[in-house]
Amino acid sequence: EDQVTQSPEALRLQEGESSSLNCSYTVSGLRGLFWYRQDPGKGPEFLFTLYSAGEEKEKERLKATLTKKESFLHITAPKPEDSATYLCAVQAGGDKIIFGKGTRLHILP
Amino acid sequence: NAGVTQTPKFQVLKTGQSMTLQCAQDMNHNSMYWYRQDPGMGLRLIYYSASEGTTDKGEVPNGYNVSRLNKREFSLRLESAAPSQTSVYFCAIPLGTAGSVNGELFFGEGSRLTVL
């Protein structure tokens, strides 16, 4: 059965304090791994797609990486506006997209 | 959110009542998805549709029915609502073109359902 596990559940950082969020997955035949950002009261917003181990994607202070078993979302020198819930999702065979439970990130000024 | 329209945005039901959540897209995509989101549970897939006239069960389909009668609309029906179905429901469609991975999803604003 396809599974996505994210850790930690919640993370509080000081502004400028870099860290990483983890997404581990168990799927047969990964077609893509996806990162989303979700602000309170809003729908998730797509950030990155990673297709194969070793791939990296960057956007501003965020960098996503992928291995054969997990993905990391690295946040460098975060700002308070980076506070949000970050969700990881996977697509295996077919059209089914499964999400993890997310990491709630809070950046303190 | 332009592209995906969900109605209603808010609804309060009594246990045992029925209702239908509507999702309409104007992005002409084959695939459409229904998710529910509960505190601390992330997004859980209820049903999805790869094309007009086809539907498939997701992770938590019990208590729900869906209908994809045309390419534009994908409805989610609760036949006999239960308090456990209190949740925020999101409809989503892929951002990419047909044949690309579907996981780059564009979400509607959500429908907030409370069952008393």
Side-chain angles (χ1 to χ4, degrees):
Chain A
E1 183 179 336
D2 300 334
Q3 277 195 323
V4 179
T5 304
Q6 292 188 245
S7 62
E9 290 185 10
L11 183 62
R12 293 167 68 92
L13 299 172
Q14 291 293 137
E15 183 173 1
E17 181 184 1
S18 302
S19 188
S20 297
L21 312 182
N22 177 264
C23 171
S24 62
Y25 61 92
T26 305
V27 297
S28 52
L30 181 73
R31 292 184 63 194
L33 184 140
F34 313 92
W35 282 98
Y36 287 79
R37 171 191 171 124
Q38 186 175 25
D39 293 303
K42 304 285 187 182
E45 179 182 353
F46 168 74
L47 292 172
F48 302 111
T49 300
L50 300 166
Y51 293 103
S52 57
E55 190 174 1
E56 297 183 353
K57 293 277 180 71
E58 283 191 68
K59 181 179 181 180
E60 296 181 356
R61 294 174 294 281
L62 300 177
K63 183 170 80 171
T65 62
L66 181 65
T67 72
K68 288 186 177 180
K69 293 184 178 180
E70 57 192 348
S71 176
F72 293 93
L73 185 65
H74 307 278
I75 302 175
T76 302
K79 298 181 178 181
E81 54 262 41
D82 294 322
S83 297
T85 296
Y86 291 86
L87 297 161
C88 171
V90 297
Q91 181 176 4
D95 296 292
K96 198 173 186 179
I97 314 295
I98 301 297
F99 281 79
K101 294 183 179 181
T103 294
R104 296 188 308 278
L105 178 65
H106 187 52
I107 309 299
L108 302 167
Chain B
N1 287 2
V4 178
T5 302
Q6 290 186 234
T7 55
K9 288 186 170 48
F10 300 93
Q11 184 71 50
V12 179
L13 291 177
K14 294 182 180 179
T15 297
Q17 287 186 318
S18 62
M19 77 157 298
T20 299
L21 300 177
Q22 303 283 0
C23 176
Q25 57 138 333
D26 60 9
M27 297 170 74
N28 200 36
H29 209 289
N30 287 325
S31 300
M32 297 183 76
Y33 297 79
W34 274 110
Y35 290 88
R36 62 176 289 175
Q37 187 170 40
D38 305 295
M41 295 298 292
L43 287 160
R44 291 183 290 171
L45 180 63
I46 307 172
Y47 272 94
Y48 61 105
S49 170
S51 61
E52 177 183 342
T54 69
T55 60
D56 287 286
K57 294 180 180 179
E59 301 168 278
V60 289
N62 291 346
Y64 303 95
N65 288 305
V66 289
S67 177
R68 181 86 184 276
L69 296 179
N70 56 61
K71 193 172 187 179
R72 185 172 177 271
E73 297 170 306
F74 189 30
S75 61
L76 179 71
R77 182 161 177 83
L78 288 69
E79 292 290 352
S80 179
S84 61
Q85 294 178 303
T86 293
S87 189
V88 181
Y89 292 85
F90 287 101
C91 177
I93 60 173
L95 284 165
T97 57
S100 62
V101 290
N102 281 355
E104 299 175 5
L105 294 170
F106 180 81
F107 285 81
E109 292 184 331
S111 297
R112 285 152 181 80
L113 176 65
T114 300
V115 183
L116 302 174

